Amino acid sequence: MRSLLALVSCASIIAASSALAETRVFIIANQADGYGVDQCLAKGEKCGAQVARTYCQSRDFAQASAYRRVDPDEITGSVPKTGANCSHGHCDEYVAITCQR
């Protein structure tokens, strides 16, 4: 009986902790702004960590756990395929930022 009670207690604690640890991936346009921030995010360099963290915090998340460049082919249905989003020799690029609560 005690082991059953302990098992139920552990299961409820694990369920509660996983419910609080929400993760969400945001796909944003990687727009060259002249400051180099876009390259830091797209290449996953350390200089993009603050930008990614600030982006997550602006959406009520605690931290950014990852950020990287995303090919339009990886995004289903919401972004035109490669070549379709190019104008005047400039193609849009996208960055995925993973935020956690």
Side-chain angles (χ1 to χ4, degrees), residues 72-86:
D73 294 336
E74 291 181 65
I75 307 167
T76 57
S78 61
V79 176
K81 296 296 179 196
T82 306
N85 54 345
C86 296

Side-chain angles (χ1 to χ4, degrees), residues 21-75:
E22 181 184 353
T23 299
R24 184 168 175 193
V25 177
F26 294 92
I27 306 293
I28 58 172
N30 182 27
Q31 300 170 344
D33 57 7
Y35 293 103
V37 171
D38 57 317
Q39 292 302 315
C40 289
L41 285 169
K43 293 180 180 177
E45 295 177 0
K46 288 184 179 183
C47 55
Q50 178 62 40
V51 176
R53 183 172 50 247
T54 302
Y55 185 88
C56 291
Q57 290 174 347
S58 72
R59 280 144 184 84
D60 296 326
F61 285 83
Q63 64 183 0
S65 59
Y67 51 94
R68 66 180 180 90
R69 183 182 165 280
V70 179
D71 288 327
D73 294 336
E74 291 181 65
I75 307 167

Side-chain angles (χ1 to χ4, degrees), residues 3-20:
S3 61
L4 180 62
L5 182 60
L7 180 64
V8 170
S9 296
C10 288
S12 62
I13 290 171
I14 291 171
S17 65
S18 65
L20 294 175

